[in-house]
Amino acid sequence: MSTSNTGGSGGNSGGRSGGVNSGDGKAVVIGYIDPGRTLPQQLPAALAAISAATTIIIDMRHQPLPGTGKTAALLAAHIAVEESAATQSILPILQPTTLGGDLQPSLLRHTNVVRPHRATTSDASPTVTKVFILVNEYTPEHSVLYLLAARPHAQLVGTTSSGGNGNVTNVCVPGGLVVSFSSLGIARANGHHVQRHGLRPHVMVTPTIAGLRRGVDEVLERAVQMAQSSTAATAAAAAAAASAAAAAASGGGGGDGGGGDVGSPSLKTSVADAATANGVDASGGLLPAT
């Protein structure tokens, strides 16, 4: 069973992770899941493993392994807040303009929708407030669009995707040549094309040679840092609001605006792989604070 590198160095799992304390002193937990290594039947266990997480990091930096192609769409349904359009499938067809008339090229468009699905009470969606999606040139863009439909405010971290999506059709022509072309286009729900454009990350993080030499997953590490900083800011705001409310309740008495302690995170190796089935590692688990 493999372990997931969460950035950093040292530790048995090949990485490190961290979190911050919330204003009430409770540990904030970050969940990690890799849909491309998780079979659909493994998803319930993976979701149960991250059910306590308030932030999840979804790793979409490689093409799905055999049998895992539908996992991202299923994950999107589990974390979706409400029903929303995800993508448009664009299929080029030939159809007659009139009954018995000549065939003319046309485009058939179909809108794909993400619908919330709550299989069990342990699904992650009720507690998750932040979602980060890791992307690069190998990212399956169709799957990411489903995840973005489920969580529109999710942030993409990494490098721009390749802009190549849709089904590929191979045609043999005389001379023993094989011609390949996209027979199905995938666009955003609003019709904007992803093909030839790709998905641009909100935060650009390019892996470096120095990071590879150190064994650091710089993209994942940056996502963890963003999760920590956003949680710290939220906790600080909540602490300030609580302090102000307490001051107002006591008749406007003075105070230094104290509140919950938001200290620097303590880091530890804490990546837990999900169960292995059919020879495919379901990489995912909690990245808890200490």
Side-chain angles (χ1 to χ4, degrees), residues 268-280:
K268 62 175 287 187
T269 300
S270 53
V271 178
D273 282 354
T276 300
N278 297 336
V280 180

Side-chain angles (χ1 to χ4, degrees), residues 43-53 78 118-127:
L43 187 58
L47 289 171
I50 63 174
S51 61
H78 280 277
R118 306 286 180 264
T120 68
T121 56
S122 64
D123 282 355
S125 50
T127 59

